[in-house]
Coordinates of all heavy atoms in Angstrom, one line a residue:
M235 N 0.8 -1.1 0.0 CA 0.0 0.0 0.0 C 0.9 1.2 0.0 O 1.9 1.3 0.7 CB -0.9 0.0 1.2 CG -1.7 1.2 1.4 SD -3.0 1.1 2.7 CE -2.4 0.0 3.9
V236 N 0.6 2.2 -0.8 CA 1.4 3.4 -0.9 C 0.5 4.7 -0.6 O -0.6 4.8 -1.2 CB 2.0 3.6 -2.4 CG1 2.7 4.9 -2.5 CG2 3.0 2.4 -2.6
F237 N 1.0 5.5 0.3 CA 0.4 6.8 0.6 C 1.1 7.8 -0.2 O 2.3 7.9 -0.2 CB 0.4 7.0 2.1 CG 0.0 8.4 2.5 CD1 -1.3 8.8 2.5 CD2 1.0 9.4 2.7 CE1 -1.7 10.1 2.9 CE2 0.6 10.7 3.0 CZ -0.7 11.0 3.1
S238 N 0.3 8.7 -0.9 CA 0.9 9.8 -1.6 C 0.6 11.1 -1.0 O 1.5 11.8 -0.4 CB 0.5 9.8 -3.1 OG 1.0 8.6 -3.7
T239 N -0.7 11.5 -1.0 CA -1.1 12.8 -0.4 C -2.5 12.6 0.2 O -3.1 11.6 -0.1 CB -1.2 13.9 -1.5 OG1 -2.3 13.7 -2.4 CG2 0.1 14.1 -2.3
E240 N -2.9 13.6 1.0 CA -4.1 13.5 1.7 C -5.3 13.5 0.7 O -6.4 13.1 1.1 CB -4.3 14.6 2.7 CG -3.4 14.4 3.9 CD -2.0 14.8 3.7 OE1 -1.6 15.3 2.6 OE2 -1.2 14.7 4.7
I241 N -5.1 14.0 -0.5 CA -6.3 14.1 -1.4 C -6.3 13.0 -2.4 O -7.2 12.9 -3.3 CB -6.3 15.5 -2.1 CG1 -5.0 15.7 -2.9 CG2 -6.5 16.6 -1.1 CD1 -5.0 16.9 -3.8
Q242 N -5.4 12.1 -2.3 CA -5.3 10.9 -3.3 C -5.7 9.7 -2.5 O -5.3 9.5 -1.3 CB -3.9 10.8 -3.9 CG -3.5 11.9 -4.8 CD -2.1 11.7 -5.3 OE1 -1.2 12.1 -4.5 NE2 -1.9 11.1 -6.4
P243 N -6.4 8.7 -3.1 CA -6.7 7.4 -2.5 C -5.4 6.7 -2.3 O -4.4 6.9 -3.1 CB -7.6 6.7 -3.4 CG -7.5 7.4 -4.7 CD -7.0 8.8 -4.5
L244 N -5.3 5.8 -1.4 CA -4.2 4.9 -1.2 C -3.9 4.1 -2.4 O -4.9 3.6 -3.0 CB -4.4 4.0 0.0 CG -4.4 4.6 1.4 CD1 -4.8 3.6 2.4 CD2 -3.1 5.2 1.7
G245 N -2.7 3.9 -2.8 CA -2.3 3.0 -3.9 C -2.2 1.6 -3.4 O -1.4 1.3 -2.6
I246 N -3.1 0.7 -3.9 CA -3.1 -0.7 -3.5 C -2.6 -1.5 -4.7 O -3.1 -1.4 -5.8 CB -4.6 -1.1 -3.1 CG1 -5.2 -0.2 -2.1 CG2 -4.6 -2.6 -2.7 CD1 -4.5 -0.3 -0.7
Y247 N -1.6 -2.3 -4.4 CA -1.0 -3.1 -5.5 C -1.3 -4.6 -5.2 O -0.7 -5.1 -4.2 CB 0.5 -2.8 -5.6 CG 0.7 -1.4 -6.0 CD1 0.8 -0.4 -5.0 CD2 0.9 -1.0 -7.3 CE1 1.1 0.9 -5.3 CE2 1.1 0.3 -7.6 CZ 1.2 1.3 -6.7 OH 1.4 2.6 -7.0
T248 N -2.2 -5.2 -5.9 CA -2.5 -6.6 -5.7 C -1.7 -7.5 -6.5 O -1.7 -7.4 -7.7 CB -4.0 -6.8 -6.0 OG1 -4.8 -5.9 -5.3 CG2 -4.5 -8.2 -5.7
D249 N -0.9 -8.4 -5.9 CA 0.0 -9.3 -6.5 C 0.9 -8.6 -7.6 O 0.9 -9.0 -8.8 CB -0.8 -10.4 -7.2 CG -1.5 -11.3 -6.2 OD1 -1.0 -11.4 -5.1 OD2 -2.6 -11.7 -6.5
P250 N 1.7 -7.6 -7.2 CA 2.6 -7.0 -8.2 C 3.7 -8.0 -8.6 O 4.1 -8.8 -7.8 CB 3.2 -5.8 -7.4 CG 3.1 -6.2 -6.0 CD 1.9 -7.1 -5.9
T251 N 4.0 -7.9 -9.9 CA 5.1 -8.7 -10.4 C 6.1 -7.8 -11.1 O 5.8 -6.8 -11.7 CB 4.6 -9.8 -11.4 OG1 3.9 -9.1 -12.4 CG2 3.6 -10.7 -10.7
G252 N 7.4 -8.2 -11.1 CA 8.4 -7.5 -11.7 C 8.6 -6.1 -11.1 O 8.4 -5.9 -9.9
C253 N 9.1 -5.2 -11.9 CA 9.3 -3.8 -11.5 C 8.1 -3.0 -11.6 O 7.5 -2.9 -12.7 CB 10.5 -3.3 -12.3 SG 11.0 -1.6 -11.8
T254 N 7.6 -2.4 -10.5 CA 6.4 -1.6 -10.6 C 6.7 -0.1 -10.3 O 7.3 0.2 -9.3 CB 5.4 -2.1 -9.5 OG1 5.1 -3.5 -9.8 CG2 4.1 -1.4 -9.6
K255 N 6.3 0.7 -11.2 CA 6.6 2.2 -11.1 C 5.7 2.8 -10.0 O 4.5 2.4 -9.8 CB 6.3 2.9 -12.4 CG 6.7 4.3 -12.4 CD 6.7 5.0 -13.7 CE 7.1 6.4 -13.5 NZ 6.9 7.2 -14.6
L256 N 6.3 3.6 -9.1 CA 5.6 4.3 -8.1 C 5.0 5.7 -8.6 O 5.7 6.3 -9.5 CB 6.5 4.6 -6.9 CG 6.8 3.4 -6.0 CD1 8.0 3.7 -5.1 CD2 5.6 3.0 -5.2
P257 N 3.9 6.2 -8.0 CA 3.5 7.5 -8.4 C 4.6 8.5 -8.0 O 5.3 8.4 -7.0 CB 2.2 7.7 -7.6 CG 1.9 6.5 -6.9 CD 3.1 5.5 -7.0
I258 N 4.7 9.6 -8.7 CA 5.7 10.6 -8.4 C 5.5 11.3 -7.1 O 6.4 11.7 -6.4 CB 5.7 11.7 -9.5 CG1 6.9 12.7 -9.4 CG2 4.4 12.6 -9.5 CD1 8.2 12.1 -9.9
T259 N 4.2 11.2 -6.5 CA 3.9 11.8 -5.2 C 4.0 10.8 -4.1 O 3.7 11.2 -3.0 CB 2.5 12.4 -5.3 OG1 1.6 11.4 -5.7 CG2 2.4 13.6 -6.2
A260 N 4.5 9.6 -4.3 CA 4.6 8.6 -3.3 C 5.4 9.1 -2.1 O 6.4 9.7 -2.2 CB 5.2 7.3 -3.8
H261 N 4.8 8.9 -0.9 CA 5.4 9.4 0.3 C 5.8 8.3 1.3 O 6.8 8.4 2.0 CB 4.4 10.4 1.0 CG 4.9 10.9 2.3 ND1 5.8 11.9 2.3 CD2 4.6 10.7 3.6 CE1 6.1 12.3 3.6 NE2 5.4 11.5 4.4
S262 N 5.0 7.2 1.4 CA 5.3 6.1 2.3 C 4.7 4.8 1.7 O 3.7 4.8 1.0 CB 4.8 6.4 3.7 OG 3.4 6.5 3.7
L263 N 5.4 3.7 2.1 CA 5.0 2.4 1.7 C 4.8 1.5 2.9 O 5.6 1.5 3.8 CB 6.1 1.8 0.8 CG 5.8 0.4 0.2 CD1 6.2 0.4 -1.3 CD2 6.5 -0.6 1.0
D264 N 3.7 0.8 2.9 CA 3.3 -0.2 4.0 C 3.3 -1.5 3.3 O 2.5 -1.8 2.5 CB 2.0 0.2 4.5 CG 1.5 -0.7 5.7 OD1 2.4 -1.4 6.2 OD2 0.3 -0.7 6.0
N265 N 4.2 -2.4 3.7 CA 4.4 -3.7 3.2 C 3.4 -4.7 3.9 O 3.7 -5.2 5.0 CB 5.8 -4.2 3.2 CG 6.0 -5.6 2.6 OD1 5.0 -6.2 2.1 ND2 7.2 -6.1 2.6
Q266 N 2.3 -5.0 3.2 CA 1.3 -5.9 3.8 C 1.4 -7.3 3.2 O 0.4 -8.0 3.2 CB -0.1 -5.3 3.7 CG -0.3 -4.0 4.4 CD -1.7 -3.5 4.3 OE1 -2.4 -3.8 3.4 NE2 -2.0 -2.6 5.2
T267 N 2.5 -7.6 2.6 CA 2.7 -8.9 2.0 C 3.5 -9.9 2.9 O 3.8 -9.5 4.0 CB 3.5 -8.8 0.6 OG1 4.9 -8.5 0.9 CG2 2.9 -7.7 -0.3
D268 N 3.8 -11.0 2.4 CA 4.6 -12.0 3.1 C 6.0 -12.0 2.7 O 6.8 -12.9 3.1 CB 4.0 -13.4 3.0 CG 2.6 -13.5 3.6 OD1 2.3 -12.8 4.6 OD2 1.8 -14.4 3.1
A269 N 6.4 -11.1 1.8 CA 7.8 -11.1 1.3 C 8.4 -9.7 1.4 O 7.6 -8.7 1.4 CB 7.8 -11.6 -0.2
P270 N 9.7 -9.6 1.4 CA 10.3 -8.2 1.3 C 10.0 -7.5 0.0 O 9.8 -8.1 -1.0 CB 11.8 -8.5 1.4 CG 11.9 -9.9 2.0 CD 10.7 -10.6 1.5
V271 N 9.8 -6.2 0.2 CA 9.6 -5.3 -1.0 C 10.9 -4.4 -1.1 O 11.3 -3.9 0.0 CB 8.4 -4.4 -0.8 CG1 8.3 -3.3 -1.9 CG2 7.1 -5.3 -0.8
V272 N 11.4 -4.2 -2.2 CA 12.6 -3.4 -2.4 C 12.2 -2.1 -3.2 O 11.5 -2.2 -4.2 CB 13.7 -4.1 -3.2 CG1 14.9 -3.2 -3.3 CG2 14.1 -5.4 -2.5
V273 N 12.5 -0.9 -2.6 CA 12.2 0.4 -3.2 C 13.4 0.9 -3.9 O 14.5 1.0 -3.3 CB 11.6 1.3 -2.2 CG1 11.3 2.7 -2.8 CG2 10.4 0.7 -1.5
Y274 N 13.3 1.4 -5.1 CA 14.4 1.9 -5.9 C 14.2 3.4 -6.3 O 13.1 3.8 -6.4 CB 14.5 1.1 -7.3 CG 14.7 -0.4 -7.1 CD1 13.6 -1.2 -7.0 CD2 15.9 -0.9 -7.0 CE1 13.7 -2.6 -6.8 CE2 16.1 -2.3 -6.8 CZ 15.0 -3.1 -6.7 OH 15.2 -4.4 -6.5
A275 N 15.3 4.1 -6.5 CA 15.2 5.5 -6.8 C 14.9 5.7 -8.3 O 14.4 6.8 -8.7 CB 16.6 6.1 -6.6
D276 N 15.0 4.7 -9.1 CA 14.8 4.9 -10.6 C 13.5 4.1 -11.0 O 13.1 3.2 -10.2 CB 15.9 4.4 -11.4 CG 16.1 2.9 -11.3 OD1 16.6 2.4 -10.3 OD2 15.8 2.2 -12.3
P277 N 12.9 4.4 -12.1 CA 11.7 3.7 -12.5 C 11.9 2.3 -13.1 O 10.9 1.6 -13.4 CB 11.1 4.6 -13.5 CG 12.2 5.4 -14.1 CD 13.2 5.5 -13.0
L278 N 13.1 1.9 -13.2 CA 13.4 0.6 -13.9 C 14.0 -0.5 -12.9 O 14.5 -1.5 -13.3 CB 14.4 0.7 -15.0 CG 13.9 1.7 -16.1 CD1 15.0 1.9 -17.2 CD2 12.6 1.1 -16.8
C279 N 14.0 -0.2 -11.6 CA 14.6 -1.1 -10.6 C 16.0 -1.4 -10.8 O 16.5 -2.6 -10.6 CB 13.7 -2.3 -10.5 SG 12.0 -2.1 -10.0
L280 N 16.8 -0.5 -11.3 CA 18.2 -0.7 -11.6 C 19.2 -0.2 -10.5 O 20.3 -0.8 -10.4 CB 18.6 -0.1 -12.9 CG 17.8 -0.6 -14.1 CD1 18.2 0.2 -15.4 CD2 18.1 -2.1 -14.3
T281 N 18.8 0.8 -9.7 CA 19.7 1.3 -8.7 C 19.7 0.5 -7.4 O 18.7 -0.3 -7.3 CB 19.3 2.8 -8.4 OG1 18.0 2.8 -7.9 CG2 19.5 3.7 -9.6
P282 N 20.6 0.7 -6.5 CA 20.5 0.0 -5.3 C 19.2 0.4 -4.6 O 18.8 1.6 -4.7 CB 21.7 0.4 -4.5 CG 22.7 0.8 -5.5 CD 21.9 1.4 -6.7
G283 N 18.6 -0.5 -3.9 CA 17.3 -0.2 -3.2 C 17.3 -0.4 -1.7 O 18.3 -0.9 -1.2
I284 N 16.2 0.0 -1.1 CA 16.0 -0.2 0.3 C 15.0 -1.3 0.5 O 14.0 -1.3 -0.2 CB 15.6 1.1 1.1 CG1 14.3 1.7 0.5 CG2 16.7 2.1 1.0 CD1 13.7 2.8 1.4
T285 N 15.2 -2.2 1.4 CA 14.3 -3.3 1.7 C 13.3 -2.9 2.8 O 13.7 -2.5 3.8 CB 15.0 -4.6 2.0 OG1 15.9 -4.9 1.0 CG2 14.1 -5.7 2.3
V286 N 12.0 -3.2 2.5 CA 10.9 -3.0 3.5 C 10.4 -4.4 3.8 O 9.8 -5.0 2.9 CB 9.8 -2.1 3.0 CG1 8.8 -1.9 4.0 CG2 10.4 -0.7 2.5
N287 N 10.6 -4.9 5.0 CA 10.2 -6.2 5.4 C 8.7 -6.3 5.6 O 8.1 -5.3 5.8 CB 11.0 -6.7 6.6 CG 12.4 -6.9 6.3 OD1 12.8 -7.6 5.3 ND2 13.3 -6.5 7.2
P288 N 8.2 -7.6 5.5 CA 6.8 -7.8 5.7 C 6.3 -7.2 7.0 O 7.0 -7.3 8.0 CB 6.6 -9.3 5.6 CG 7.8 -9.8 4.8 CD 8.9 -8.8 5.2
G289 N 5.1 -6.6 7.0 CA 4.6 -6.0 8.3 C 5.2 -4.7 8.7 O 4.9 -4.2 9.8
H290 N 6.1 -4.1 7.9 CA 6.8 -2.9 8.2 C 6.4 -1.8 7.1 O 5.9 -2.2 6.0 CB 8.3 -3.1 8.2 CG 8.7 -3.9 9.4 ND1 8.7 -5.2 9.5 CD2 9.2 -3.5 10.6 CE1 9.1 -5.7 10.6 NE2 9.4 -4.6 11.4
G291 N 6.8 -0.6 7.4 CA 6.6 0.5 6.5 C 7.8 1.3 6.4 O 8.7 1.2 7.2
A292 N 7.8 2.3 5.5 CA 9.0 3.2 5.3 C 8.5 4.4 4.6 O 7.7 4.4 3.8 CB 10.1 2.5 4.5
H293 N 9.2 5.5 5.1 CA 9.0 6.8 4.3 C 9.9 6.6 3.1 O 11.0 6.0 3.1 CB 9.5 8.0 5.1 CG 8.5 8.5 6.1 ND1 8.6 8.1 7.4 CD2 7.4 9.2 5.9 CE1 7.5 8.7 8.0 NE2 6.8 9.4 7.1
L294 N 9.4 7.1 2.0 CA 10.1 6.9 0.7 C 10.9 8.1 0.4 O 10.5 9.3 0.6 CB 9.1 6.7 -0.4 CG 8.2 5.4 -0.3 CD1 7.1 5.4 -1.4 CD2 9.0 4.2 -0.3
P295 N 12.1 7.9 -0.1 CA 12.9 9.1 -0.5 C 12.1 9.9 -1.6 O 11.4 9.3 -2.4 CB 14.2 8.5 -1.1 CG 14.2 7.1 -0.6 CD 12.8 6.7 -0.3
P296 N 12.3 11.2 -1.6 CA 11.6 12.0 -2.7 C 11.8 11.4 -4.1 O 13.0 11.0 -4.4 CB 12.2 13.4 -2.5 CG 12.8 13.4 -1.1 CD 13.2 12.0 -0.8
H297 N 10.8 11.4 -4.8 CA 10.8 10.9 -6.2 C 11.3 9.5 -6.4 O 12.0 9.1 -7.3 CB 11.6 11.9 -7.1 CG 11.2 13.3 -7.0 ND1 10.0 13.7 -7.4 CD2 11.8 14.3 -6.4 CE1 9.9 15.0 -7.1 NE2 11.0 15.4 -6.5
S298 N 11.0 8.6 -5.4 CA 11.3 7.2 -5.5 C 10.6 6.7 -6.8 O 9.5 7.1 -7.2 CB 10.8 6.4 -4.4 OG 11.5 6.7 -3.2
G299 N 11.3 5.9 -7.5 CA 10.9 5.5 -8.9 C 10.0 4.2 -9.0 O 9.1 4.2 -9.7
S300 N 10.4 3.2 -8.2 CA 9.7 1.9 -8.4 C 9.9 1.0 -7.2 O 10.7 1.3 -6.3 CB 10.3 1.3 -9.7 OG 11.7 1.1 -9.5
F301 N 9.3 -0.1 -7.2 CA 9.5 -1.2 -6.2 C 9.4 -2.5 -6.9 O 8.8 -2.7 -8.0 CB 8.5 -1.0 -5.1 CG 7.1 -1.4 -5.4 CD1 6.7 -2.7 -5.2 CD2 6.2 -0.5 -5.9 CE1 5.3 -3.1 -5.5 CE2 4.9 -0.9 -6.1 CZ 4.5 -2.2 -6.0
S302 N 9.9 -3.5 -6.2 CA 9.7 -4.9 -6.7 C 9.7 -5.8 -5.5 O 10.1 -5.5 -4.4 CB 10.9 -5.3 -7.6 OG 12.1 -5.4 -6.9
M303 N 9.1 -7.0 -5.7 CA 9.1 -8.0 -4.6 C 10.5 -8.7 -4.7 O 11.0 -9.0 -5.7 CB 8.0 -9.0 -4.9 CG 6.6 -8.4 -4.9 SD 6.1 -7.6 -3.4 CE 5.9 -9.0 -2.4
D304 N 11.1 -8.9 -3.5 CA 12.4 -9.6 -3.4 C 12.3 -11.0 -3.7 O 11.4 -11.7 -3.5 CB 13.0 -9.3 -2.1 CG 14.5 -9.5 -2.0 OD1 15.1 -9.5 -3.1 OD2 15.0 -9.7 -0.9

């Protein structure tokens, strides 16, 4: 689940596969899956990423580009 702004609905990603682009306004990510999620600075999942473990959340760096399931 991705929170962007107070005026936007939460971004819900059901069974994401591969590299998934984040909205430009993404602010925080809540990992409600059973697997780690890796957040990348670029939209192609090529840069080093930060891992968000299951049941945890993280503030996203400004203009985070994408995420993938580990």
Side-chain angles (χ1 to χ4, degrees):
M235 175 172 27
V236 173
F237 170 78
S238 291
T239 69
E240 288 80 1
I241 60 172
Q242 293 175 278
L244 292 171
I246 306 294
Y247 299 87
T248 305
D249 297 324
T251 58
C253 184
T254 303
K255 188 172 181 192
L256 286 164
I258 191 77
T259 55
H261 180 74
S262 63
L263 180 137
D264 181 16
N265 183 357
Q266 297 181 341
T267 71
D268 294 332
V271 172
V272 181
V273 179
Y274 302 90
D276 69 287
L278 302 174
C279 299
L280 298 175
T281 58
I284 59 167
T285 300
V286 181
N287 288 315
H290 291 81
H293 279 99
L294 300 173
H297 308 292
S298 293
S300 56
F301 72 91
S302 68
M303 302 297 291
D304 197 20

